Structure formats: C-alpha cells, structure tokens
Amino acid sequence: MSFSRTVPAVSPAISIPVKFTDVRKRAGISFEQDSTGSSEKYYLETMGSGVGWLDYDQDGLMDLFFAQTAATAAYTPPHALRSSLYRNNGDGTFTDVTEKAGVGGEGHYAQGIAVGDYDNDGYPDLYVTGYGRAILYHNNRDGTFTDVTDKAGVSDLGQWSTSAAWFDYDRDGWLDLVVCNYVNWSPKHNLWCGEHRPGLRAYCSPNDYSGQRIALFHNNHDGTFSDVSLKSGVGKPEAKGMGVVTADFDNDGWPDIAIANDTWPNFLFLNQHDGTFKDVSFISGVAASEDGKYEAGMGIDAADVDGDGWLDIYITHLDFELNRLYLNNRDGTFTDDTFGSAIGSTAILLSGVAMKFMDYDNDGWEDIVQANGAMLDNIRLYHSEVNYREPMLMYRNLGAGKFAKVSGLLGSDFNQPIAGRGLAVADYDNDGDLDVAVVDRGGYPLLLRNDGGNANNWVSVRLIGTKSNRDGNGSLLRLTSEGFTQSKQSKGGMSYMSAQDPRIHFGLGKRNKIDSLAIAWPSGHEDKLTNLPINRILTIREGEGVVPMKSYM
C-alpha cells in the first residue's frame, strides 16, 4: 500500500488547553526504582530502568510493569528488590499483582521491557532485558506467567541487554525478537574515572569500554527461537545499543531496524525480504549528526512528522549535544533537520534519555515527549550550569514537522525535575487522550495523566492479526478524516528500554467524521473500512473489520 498526502499549511494555534497531572500516589503505585548507587561508581548504576504498558489479562485496560535492579558486589539494598506488575483496576487505581503473576525476577538486574504475543495465543508475553541475562515470561492466560527463557533460547547470556523489540521481520505470522546489547563492562573491570580525590570519582563513559553486538532471534513457531544475529547481518557490526525502533522506513511493506547507539554510529538496517538486512547506516545519513559526530544516542522513535507518508526518526542525546530529528527524503536517505524543525538547541543543557512521539492534544500531528536527566549524579562538579535532575520536555508539532517547545504550558507536575530514564505512553484510563509513565532513577515514577487532550476528537485502533502475527505488528494504517490524512504504523520497541500501548491512536482535532481507514497487514491483506465512529477504541480483526473486543479472547 503506497501512502501519500498533500501537506496542509502549518497551524500553530493551540486550540485546547492540556495539563499533565502526576497521579502515581493516588493510583496506588508504590514502586520505587533503586539506583544501587555506590562509591565504586559502577557504570551499571547510571542506566536506570524501563517501564512498560501491557494488557496482560486482556480486559481492555493497560496494566503497568516496572523493571527493577538488584544487589551488586558494591551495594546491598535495604530490602529484596524485584520488578513490579500493577493491574489496572479501571477506576484510576492499580493493584500490585507481582507475586501472583510471578514476574518479580528477584536477583535479576533488569533494564528494559518488550511486550509481544510471540505464540499467537491472544495474550501478551513479557521480555525483560538486563545485565548478564534476559528473561522471557510466557503469559499463561490466567493472571500468571512462566519463565521460559531457557527453553525459548533467548537468555542473551553474558550480555548487557538494554532495549528490545518484537517484530515479524520475515512476515511469516510470528513475532521475532531484536535485542540491543551495550558495552563490555563488569565489576572486575570497573575503571576509575574522574579525579582521584574524595567526591570527585565519576561514572565512566561508553568510550572507555568496547561495545557488544545486536542480537536477533527468529521465532521457530514452537516456543523456541534461533539466534540469527550473524546470518541476518544485524549482529555483525560492533554496537553500543541503547534504543531501538522497528518500522518500515522505505515503504516497501517490510519492517526495518533503527538503533540509537551511545557515542557510536547509529544503525539503520533495511530488510532485504530474504531473512537478511542491509546496513545503510552511513549512506542513509542517520549514523551521525549533520556535522559528522557520533553522539550519546539513547531514546529513539519514528513517526511521519511532516505528513508525507514516510517515517522520520528522532534520537535523544546528552547535554551539550543536540537531540536529532532526521527527515526521510523518500530515496533511502535522511536529512538532519534539527534546526529546520525549530528544535535546534532548545535543550542544549538537558540530557535527553527517553522520548516518544505522541499526539498529546489530539490535533492530528505527532508531538514529542522527552524525559531528561544527567548520567552523572555529581554533574555540577564538572558542568556547573547542568543539573542532575531535569524537567521533561514537550515539543508540539505545529504542522508539517515544525515544532515549538510547550513544556511550560503543561503544568507543574510535568515540569518537576527528575532523573528521567524509561518512558512509556498509553491511554491507561481509556478516555481518549494519551498519558505518560516515566521512571525517576532512585525515586518513585511519575504517572502523568493527560487532562484536556480529549477535548479534541480521536479514535484508537487495536489490531488482531489472523494470517498476520496476532498483534498486527508491522501493519501500515492510513486514516482520512474530512480530507486530512494520517499515516501510522504498528511498530516495535520505541523510547528507551520501555514498552508502549500497542493500540494505534489518531487525533482528529475538531473533525467529526472518518472518511476511511486503510490497513495494510504484514500478510499482504488489505482492509479498507468506512463509516467508523469517532471517540472510540476500535478492535479490528484482519479480514473482518470492527469486532467486539472479547470476540477473540
């Protein structure tokens, strides 16, 4: 399916007021991220951890999972540490169901989360990355999970895994798994960085360690996976992977892989339709900044920001670097449009960690939400103008890929300083506007409820594949509303070590009618739907159209 559209004029007016309210405490979420900070300055401590949304019990409400750290040779926690799963009660509150679900992973220094239904049984499974190994939890469809890592063959043993993504790279109807691995650090090889004076030891840079390699696991359709990292080409170059997004960047209908690397060339692997990928990182222009620098790539996502039907890429970086927006030129190359988009140096003193494209005000244009926080907890000893704890950012898309920073308009909760790490977006209260969960390193997370975004119209789409993978991952969607067309994809990964609401959300602004919704499924089947209602969450089954949510549980 070829997507194209006429780009409408820029419309900068803010039509509706939106505030974000931190409701974490009243929601009953008591999880606290343990930074495992120590005087040894283990490099591992800087990373924080991720957060993920998943509807684990398939009741139509997005539940919440937090990855947690573990004791180290230099740090003994005051109590046992475990990751946490919170069930959404549907009334604004959550219940901790970790023990019953069996997903605590005590002793696992967890990092990131990837959610996907790898066995096509209708229930999402959970992959938790971490230092030394990863864990695959299979959803038993009764509120519990089983650790099937060894049987499945996806432990990534001995590696430092960060972000991961489920996607069907060979379009055989089964989700495969790509895993970012970081650097070769260990407690036995913990370098001293910074000055040899009290209080001046600092966390090291990734430049001080060699990189690891990206892993790709092919789904064998029997609960096991095969490591095809080298055969596919994805695992050949040295990497320092932090963020990943899987999406179709060349509009050929096959999912590609983009990876944000830390102080290392970013990767773009194009799918060759034969089980292999072509490394086009350098010729595409996304490997480095416009001036040829390899920056501290961390968070990443892709979206059509300028309305031309092709996905663009955004990557976050540390202070004194720029967060980069790469525009898709539709010819296999990208242009660094950081300044052309007006993002420029507006966050030069902030350390961008996680980010996600989201239409926070439902006007039909993809905005950018970003969590920030320095890596060094004593950063002011080295850069007096930089703070460790930093406010979040929101860049509003004014139309056609031009952005304005609107963080100051979104309320005090949104602007409170945090050591931001993982970030995930979902409409957790099903009220039609997108909310944000953010990890604060060494503290309580933020659950930022969107108050006001649903004053504009919207529609959200939940996909159910039949010939395609059950999640519909890799589907291309084109929605036209009163002549205004939006192109979106069901992607994998995104942000930084976090998992997003799998439903595809469309803001409609003040438009009151959906002319059509076209869906190109990975199987090659196409559905075109008309007369759809607005301000609804729609469940669409491949080949059938809109169905009741519970019809295929």
Side-chain angles (χ1 to χ4, degrees):
M1 182 183 291
S2 177
F3 290 167
S4 62
R5 64 184 274 189
T6 301
V7 179
V10 173
S11 53
I14 296 178
S15 59
I16 58 170
V18 176
K19 301 289 184 184
F20 284 89
T21 305
D22 184 7
V23 296
R24 188 271 311 171
K25 190 172 183 180
R26 74 183 74 167
I29 295 171
S30 59
F31 173 86
E32 185 176 9
Q33 202 272 347
D34 195 314
S35 68
T36 69
S38 72
S39 60
E40 293 298 312
K41 297 291 182 182
Y42 279 1
Y43 188 29
L44 182 65
E45 300 165 7
T46 68
M47 303 286 282
S49 51
V51 55
W53 293 103
L54 72 161
D55 183 3
Y56 82 98
D57 54 359
Q58 289 296 279
D59 64 352
L61 298 165
M62 299 307 299
D63 311 301
L64 197 52
F65 182 87
F66 294 97
Q68 183 60 289
T69 55
T72 70
Y75 175 77
T76 300
H79 53 80
L81 299 179
R82 65 178 189 179
S83 296
S84 295
L85 175 63
Y86 286 87
R87 182 181 184 273
N88 189 334
N89 298 322
D91 60 359
T93 68
F94 290 76
T95 299
D96 188 335
V97 295
T98 309
E99 185 173 354
K100 176 184 176 182
V103 292
E106 189 172 328
H108 178 227
Y109 203 110
Q111 294 282 264
I113 301 122
V115 176
D117 182 4
Y118 75 85
D119 58 352
N120 289 333
D121 68 352
Y123 282 72
D125 308 299
L126 180 63
Y127 188 73
V128 184
T129 64
Y131 179 74
R133 64 186 176 97
I135 298 176
L136 175 60
Y137 293 106
H138 175 258
N139 192 325
N140 298 323
R141 307 199 299 174
D142 61 0
T144 70
F145 291 77
T146 298
D147 181 343
V148 297
T149 313
D150 292 338
K151 175 187 175 183
V154 292
S155 67
D156 203 36
L157 195 63
Q159 303 301 297
W160 182 352
S161 52
T162 54
S163 294
W166 294 100
F167 74 132
D168 183 4
Y169 76 87
D170 55 357
R171 302 201 318 186
D172 65 352
W174 298 77
L175 291 180
D176 311 298
L177 180 65
V178 60
V179 181
C180 290
N181 290 311
Y182 192 41
V183 298
N184 289 309
W185 171 89
S186 73
K188 293 182 179 179
H189 299 90
N190 188 47
L191 302 176
W192 187 296
C193 295
E195 297 184 35
H196 284 264
R197 289 191 292 156
L200 292 182
R201 185 173 185 177
Y203 291 109
C204 292
S205 159
N207 287 320
D208 297 313
Y209 300 96
S210 61
Q212 297 184 340
R213 296 179 190 275
I214 306 303
L216 179 62
F217 298 99
H218 176 260
N219 192 326
N220 298 326
H221 312 177
D222 61 1
T224 70
F225 292 77
S226 296
D227 188 337
V228 295
S229 308
L230 292 178
K231 177 182 177 182
S232 67
V234 170
K236 290 182 179 179
E238 182 180 348
K240 296 183 179 181
M242 294 287 261
V244 60
V245 59
T246 59
D248 180 7
F249 292 101
D250 53 2
N251 277 3
D252 65 354
W254 292 74
D256 311 304
I257 306 170
I259 291 174
N261 282 309
D262 194 357
T263 68
W264 201 255
N266 301 314
F267 293 157
L268 180 58
F269 297 106
L270 291 186
N271 196 320
Q272 299 300 289
H273 314 173
D274 61 0
T276 68
F277 290 81
K278 182 179 181 181
D279 185 348
V280 298
S281 308
F282 289 95
I283 62 175
S284 68
V286 303
S289 64
E290 186 177 28
D291 51 357
K293 294 181 180 178
Y294 306 141
E295 297 174 307
M298 300 184 73
I300 186 172
D301 195 10
D304 177 14
V305 303
D306 54 358
D308 64 357
W310 295 68
L311 293 188
D312 312 296
I313 299 173
Y314 186 90
I315 301 177
T316 65
H317 300 103
L318 297 186
D319 53 88
F320 297 104
E321 298 176 338
L322 301 181
N323 302 299
R324 300 287 173 179
L325 177 65
Y326 297 94
L327 284 187
N328 194 325
N329 296 323
R330 298 179 284 178
D331 61 359
T333 68
F334 290 75
T335 296
D336 183 343
D337 196 48
T338 303
F339 282 96
S341 66
I343 292 172
S345 57
T346 55
I348 191 69
L349 296 180
L350 301 179
S351 292
V353 180
M355 63 76 51
K356 179 74 178 68
F357 284 111
M358 64 177 291
D359 184 0
Y360 83 92
D361 56 355
N362 282 344
D363 68 350
W365 292 97
E366 294 276 24
D367 311 303
I368 298 170
V369 64
Q370 179 173 315
N372 307 292
M375 293 294 109
L376 304 184
D377 52 5
N378 55 359
I379 185 67
R380 290 186 68 83
L381 296 176
Y382 300 91
H383 298 293
S384 60
E385 63 271 61
V386 175
N387 294 311
Y388 170 58
R389 305 179 70 83
E390 301 171 343
M392 293 179 61
L393 285 173
M394 182 73 80
Y395 291 106
R396 181 173 183 262
N397 192 334
L398 305 180
K402 305 301 179 184
F403 291 85
K405 187 167 71 171
V406 296
S407 314
L409 303 176
L410 302 181
S412 58
D413 288 352
F414 186 88
N415 288 277
Q416 61 184 295
I418 61 172
R421 295 300 187 258
L423 177 151
V425 172
D427 181 7
Y428 81 88
D429 49 4
N430 287 348
D431 67 349
D433 48 32
L434 296 175
D435 314 295
V436 184
V438 188
V439 172
D440 182 2
R441 176 183 179 254
Y444 294 107
L446 278 62
L447 179 56
L448 296 170
R449 186 188 65 205
N450 186 325
D451 294 327
N454 56 10
N456 276 330
N457 294 322
W458 57 277
V459 69
S460 187
V461 178
R462 175 179 180 265
L463 300 174
I464 297 180
T466 53
K467 292 181 180 180
S468 303
N469 65 82
R470 179 65 179 244
D471 289 349
N473 186 292
S475 296
L476 313 179
L477 295 84
R478 182 177 63 184
L479 183 144
T480 301
S481 173
E482 297 182 13
F484 181 79
T485 301
Q486 301 177 57
S487 301
K488 298 198 177 189
Q489 297 185 20
S490 175
K491 302 170 292 185
M494 299 168 278
S495 188
Y496 168 81
M497 303 200 302
S498 298
Q500 315 299 318
D501 189 333
R503 299 171 296 189
I504 314 301
H505 187 86
F506 293 90
L508 303 177
K510 297 303 181 184
R511 304 171 193 89
N512 295 307
K513 179 183 177 183
I514 295 174
D515 302 324
S516 65
L517 173 63
I519 304 174
W521 299 83
S523 67
H525 178 79
E526 296 187 11
D527 284 316
K528 186 169 184 179
L529 310 174
T530 57
N531 299 316
L532 296 175
I534 65 171
N535 299 331
R536 293 270 301 277
I537 299 171
L538 305 178
T539 299
I540 299 178
R541 180 174 165 89
E542 182 179 8
E544 292 186 23
V546 178
V547 298
M549 178 187 166
K550 288 293 184 180
S551 293
Y552 296 95
M553 290 298 98

